Amino acid sequence: MNGSLIIHQPGNSVVTDLGRFRGPRFGLPVNGALDQFSARAANILAANADNAPLLEVTALDFRMRATTDVLIAVTGAPLHLTVGGRECPQWEPVSVRAGETVALRRITGGLRAYVAVHGSVEAPVLLGSCAPDTVVGFGLRLSEGTELKTSRSVGPIRQPYFDLPLFRLGLTRPEFSSRVVVEVTDGPDVDEFGDTADLLYNTEYTVSGRSNHIGLRLGGALPERQSTAEVLSRGVPVGAIEVPSREELLVLHRGRGVTAGYPVLAVVTSRSLDVLAQARPGHTITFRKTTVPEATAQHRAALRELETLRSTVSTVFSLLGIGRQPGWPELVPAAGS
Amino acid sequence: MAATPTPTPVEVYESGDAALRVVASSPDTEANWTTVHALAEWLEEAGADGVHGAVPTYDSLLVEFDPGVTSARQVRAFVLMGLRQLDFVGAPSRAPRTFEVPVVYGGEYGPDLERVAAHEQLSIQEVIALHTAKSYVIRCLGAPAGSPMMDGPDFPLPVPRLKDPRLSVPAGAVSVAGRQAVIAPAAAPGGWCVIGQTPLAVLDAASEPLVPYVPGDVVRFHQIQPEEFASFAGLKLEAAR
């Protein structure tokens, strides 16, 4: 059954996915959900593919109304979630009845929340991704009245006794704090900073209000490049830490220009990029050095956690008949009972 | 691209858990460029699991990958295998295409033209003459949005970047900085000196891949007058036949 979600209060929200991985070779940043773990978790909780289009809501309150029964999951920064006025948990699948309003209010502790809808939503695609690109002016930025088409309706799922939450899927939620530790590995140009490179690990940095999806600007003691030779433009990775000015440290995120001519002091690990995605202006950041093998192991541990969640979700959902047929799901007796 | 007669020395650097930087370090800059672009193409063709793609520039290549599927160690081995293969078979060759780019120089179209002329101690006409004299090889695609990065005109001195970068430079801006030249496919902030603007649309978001040129193609600029600008409206940048 097709239906739609009608945006009533867009705040600052877009439809995105995990990113435009084919973009960089054509000069386009990868973009996509800044907090990849939360985005994947939302899609998994809604029984979607990890890379399915979903909503990224940044900082401001957001409201939408469903025209059919849908199943959603909200992850990311802590917030106050209500559906039809009822308070609902984050990081769990949530039933929404036709006509009900979903409201995300008071995003605190972090900066970005993710809303996945079972069956996902329709969005235009460029180079294999729906992720918005502000430079080429591509993507679906939500405004009041935007109608998002959904492809699958899911009947209401309500625990019949005491209206207790039906799902307790037990994902370890990421921690959100105003003081975070960000892990980095040595950048390819660390030697150009000489002894001043150590400042990166001995300084508390403050997130500037001029930060965005392209990069975070951090105030604090700055390592200084010792050489002045002109650097030829070259590809810079997401997570690259540069010192382009005397005022701020620049940490590039997923919207970064693909090439630049600044030396790369250090690179934030994939796992810590999710932490940075949730850092608000005024938050404090300290950096800790790690190694590439350790960073890879950490990233894979997070993916394994998501895999466990996926198999739990798939077991529960198949018992409830979600994803198989539309309409009211019936609890199927377990085999042998 | 011509075949590389001798192997170019290459170094591979860690660049976080999801990328490697490959740098060709021969004194021959042309050989370095050929090597990193040939390697990028090889990686593209090989399509290894978990390798997202490669961004080649002048002497370096950024290889991006998914650390959930592969690892820096595996990708490094893969890159070295590609290099051995290229040493053996040589780099692929492709006939370059030429793009003719009309430009209105100076005035509102090129607000930094006078500054560049003063810095180079040349007249404005001499700056334009040098800029239009050369055939530029597109060395790589850069930011923003697949900008064609070219070795700059034969000015006497490198051009300094603006002290205060502009918050927005319009699409079609023709700029110079250091010893490089570029055309902006899309409006974006910029710190390069804008000396002119082309009325042609460089970026076509409805086509893949977005911009019509690839590294190795050739650009030639020619001067048009401000009153001609509007007559090019709606035209796209296309390879000359």
Side-chain angles (χ1 to χ4, degrees):
Chain A
M1 225 188 315
N2 290 327
S4 55
L5 302 167
I6 300 176
I7 308 304
H8 285 266
Q9 182 182 4
N12 180 5
S13 55
V14 296
V15 176
T16 192
D17 55 22
L18 294 180
R20 185 166 289 107
F21 295 100
R22 284 170 59 210
R25 86 183 73 135
F26 301 118
L28 297 189
V30 63
N31 276 308
L34 265 76
D35 178 350
Q36 298 260 300
F37 183 88
S38 293
R40 279 183 197 265
N43 267 327
I44 289 170
L45 288 163
N48 291 335
D50 287 22
N51 195 31
L54 81 172
L55 280 61
E56 182 179 64
V57 179
T58 303
L60 304 176
D61 288 358
F62 169 91
R63 259 184 312 123
M64 65 178 182
R65 190 171 54 83
T67 66
T68 48
D69 297 340
V70 290
L71 184 83
I72 66 165
V74 179
T75 63
L79 53 84
H80 188 244
L81 172 66
T82 57
V83 173
R86 297 185 311 278
E87 207 167 313
C88 292
Q90 276 178 270
W91 301 90
E92 296 284 346
V94 172
S95 270
V96 181
R97 299 295 308 266
E100 282 184 333
T101 294
V102 176
L104 281 64
R105 291 201 189 88
R106 303 200 299 273
I107 295 179
T108 46
L111 195 59
R112 295 181 167 89
Y114 295 87
V115 184
V117 185
H118 177 60
S120 192
V121 294
E122 286 178 18
V125 167
L126 174 69
L127 294 173
S129 165
C130 72
D133 186 308
T134 49
V135 173
V136 301
F138 175 84
L140 193 48
R141 175 162 288 281
L142 303 180
S143 51
E144 195 180 334
T146 303
E147 198 176 336
L148 295 172
K149 295 254 181 284
T150 59
S151 60
R152 258 178 255 163
S153 176
V154 178
I157 306 155
R158 202 64 67 70
Q159 225 265 20
Y161 304 106
F162 311 115
D163 209 20
L164 292 169
L166 181 68
F167 303 103
R168 280 190 182 161
L169 300 180
L171 177 72
T172 319
R173 300 176 193 191
E175 280 173 32
F176 294 89
S177 164
S178 60
R179 305 179 68 84
V180 292
V181 177
V182 166
E183 300 210 314
V184 303
T185 58
D186 271 338
D189 308 309
V190 62
D191 292 346
E192 292 199 25
F193 293 86
D195 293 341
T196 72
D198 291 340
L199 276 173
L200 187 68
Y201 305 105
N202 306 329
T203 303
E204 286 198 344
Y205 292 95
T206 308
V207 179
S208 145
R210 290 169 63 230
S211 303
N212 57 20
H213 66 293
I214 297 172
L216 286 90
R217 293 172 187 276
L218 308 180
L222 299 180
E224 250 179 84
R225 190 180 171 215
Q226 308 295 301
S227 118
T228 54
E230 182 92 356
V231 178
L232 284 172
S233 290
R234 53 198 173 196
V236 287
V238 172
I241 300 183
E242 300 174 346
V243 192
S245 79
R246 297 243 169 106
E247 280 100 58
E248 287 160 328
L249 200 69
L250 177 63
V251 188
L252 296 173
H253 218 295
R254 301 181 71 83
R256 60 81 168 90
V258 176
T259 59
Y262 296 108
V264 177
L265 165 63
V267 185
V268 178
T269 65
S270 295
R271 201 68 196 85
S272 282
L273 279 167
D274 292 348
V275 173
L276 278 181
Q278 297 292 358
R280 297 176 73 98
H283 280 188
T284 304
I285 285 174
T286 51
F287 292 100
R288 183 163 67 205
K289 197 193 286 207
T290 183
T291 63
V292 168
E294 268 174 50
T296 308
Q298 260 203 4
H299 178 70
R300 290 181 176 180
L303 290 179
R304 274 197 302 278
E305 204 176 315
L306 290 170
E307 278 319 306
T308 308
L309 179 69
R310 191 195 316 278
S311 70
T312 311
V313 168
S314 130
T315 306
V316 173
F317 280 25
S318 65
L319 277 171
L320 293 170
I322 300 170
R324 279 186 292 166
Q325 75 246 15
W328 287 76
E330 281 170 40
L331 282 168
V332 180
S337 67
Chain B
M1 290 178 217
T4 34
T6 50
T8 308
V10 162
E11 280 135 51
V12 184
Y13 298 90
E14 282 182 347
S15 278
D17 60 24
L20 286 177
R21 182 199 285 173
V22 182
V23 179
S25 52
S26 129
D28 178 352
T29 54
E30 202 64 28
N32 290 341
W33 180 74
T34 307
T35 299
V36 296
H37 283 266
L39 181 58
E41 224 163 290
W42 185 87
L43 287 166
E44 189 71 22
E45 291 291 310
D49 226 20
V51 176
H52 292 314
V55 182
T57 56
Y58 296 87
D59 61 355
S60 87
L61 177 75
L62 184 78
V63 186
E64 294 184 291
F65 53 88
D66 178 350
V69 176
T70 184
S71 67
R73 211 165 58 91
Q74 282 170 294
V75 175
R76 177 193 293 264
F78 189 61
V79 161
L80 296 177
M81 187 173 94
L83 285 165
R84 279 197 299 276
Q85 201 150 332
L86 289 173
D87 287 341
F88 188 66
V89 299
S93 66
R94 177 196 284 133
R97 295 167 304 162
T98 299
F99 292 83
E100 297 284 351
V101 180
V103 180
V104 180
Y105 287 93
E108 56 177 303
Y109 298 96
D112 302 319
L113 179 61
E114 285 181 30
R115 187 201 315 263
V116 171
H119 175 79
E120 301 292 336
Q121 296 179 318
L122 295 171
S123 71
I124 283 174
Q125 269 322 310
E126 284 170 322
V127 169
I128 296 172
L130 283 172
H131 192 255
T132 52
K134 194 175 155 178
S135 288
Y136 300 84
V137 176
I138 296 176
R139 291 299 177 176
C140 58
L141 306 188
S147 301
M149 311 297 291
M150 302 170 277
D151 297 338
D154 298 323
F155 291 152
L157 302 165
V159 180
R161 286 166 203 228
L162 300 178
K163 286 210 179 72
D164 280 313
R166 290 193 173 85
L167 290 177
S168 184
V169 172
V174 171
S175 312
V176 289
R179 297 216 174 265
Q180 291 179 276
V182 76
I183 312 169
W192 289 32
C193 290
V194 180
I195 61 169
Q197 190 178 354
T198 179
L200 298 181
V202 177
L203 181 83
D204 181 1
S207 77
E208 290 189 16
L210 308 182
V211 290
Y213 41 77
V214 295
D217 283 342
V218 171
V219 166
R220 290 197 61 95
F221 296 105
H222 62 271
Q223 187 176 14
I224 59 167
Q225 297 308 312
E227 51 275 20
E228 296 175 78
F229 194 90
S231 65
F232 289 88
L235 295 182
K236 289 179 198 167
L237 175 65
E238 283 174 328
R241 285 158 209 271

